Amino acid sequence: MNVKNKQQFFLACLVTFIHILWRVFHEYIQAFFSMNQLLNAFFISQFVLQLLSLFLLAIFLGKTALAKNKLAWLYLGLFLFNLILSLSVY
């Protein structure tokens, strides 16, 4: 792994970690925004965060697949994990 691959993988893991934290504290954040009459902002930010995480991971997956890099499986795993998180409903 060269430095660029390490940076991309770290960023992909960071995006996944932020997405996991968002899903863990989803109910608390929603309650806070609901109490402050900002529920629309919450739903918009939730949608943007999910799209951003899936979009970034899809870009990383595409770059590694085009380069025929062996890291493509890791990015595919992170992408599918985030996709499952995005589609899960409490």
Side-chain angles (χ1 to χ4, degrees):
M1 278 177 71
N2 58 19
V3 176
K4 184 178 179 183
N5 287 343
K6 287 180 183 179
Q7 290 173 346
Q8 285 181 348
F9 183 70
F10 177 73
L11 185 60
C13 288
L14 182 67
V15 167
T16 302
F17 181 71
I18 290 170
H19 196 195
I20 290 171
L21 284 179
W22 178 268
R23 295 303 287 181
V24 167
F25 296 110
H26 175 266
E27 294 174 355
Y28 301 112
I29 298 169
Q30 184 176 359
F32 173 77
F33 279 99
S34 180
M35 287 187 318
N36 293 316
Q37 286 80 30
L38 295 172
L39 203 53
N40 287 336
F42 169 74
F43 288 129
I44 291 171
S45 62
Q46 176 184 358
F47 180 71
V48 168
L49 180 68
Q50 289 176 353
L51 281 181
L52 180 69
S53 64
L54 291 175
F55 183 70
L56 283 174
L57 291 173
I59 288 174
F60 293 145
L61 178 62
K63 283 183 177 181
T64 56
L66 288 176
K68 294 185 172 94
N69 196 340
K70 294 184 180 189
L71 290 176
W73 290 107
L74 292 173
Y75 290 122
L76 180 63
L78 289 174
F79 177 77
L80 292 175
F81 183 73
N82 279 290
L83 185 63
I84 291 170
L85 277 178
S86 295
L87 298 176
S88 66
V89 178
Y90 291 143

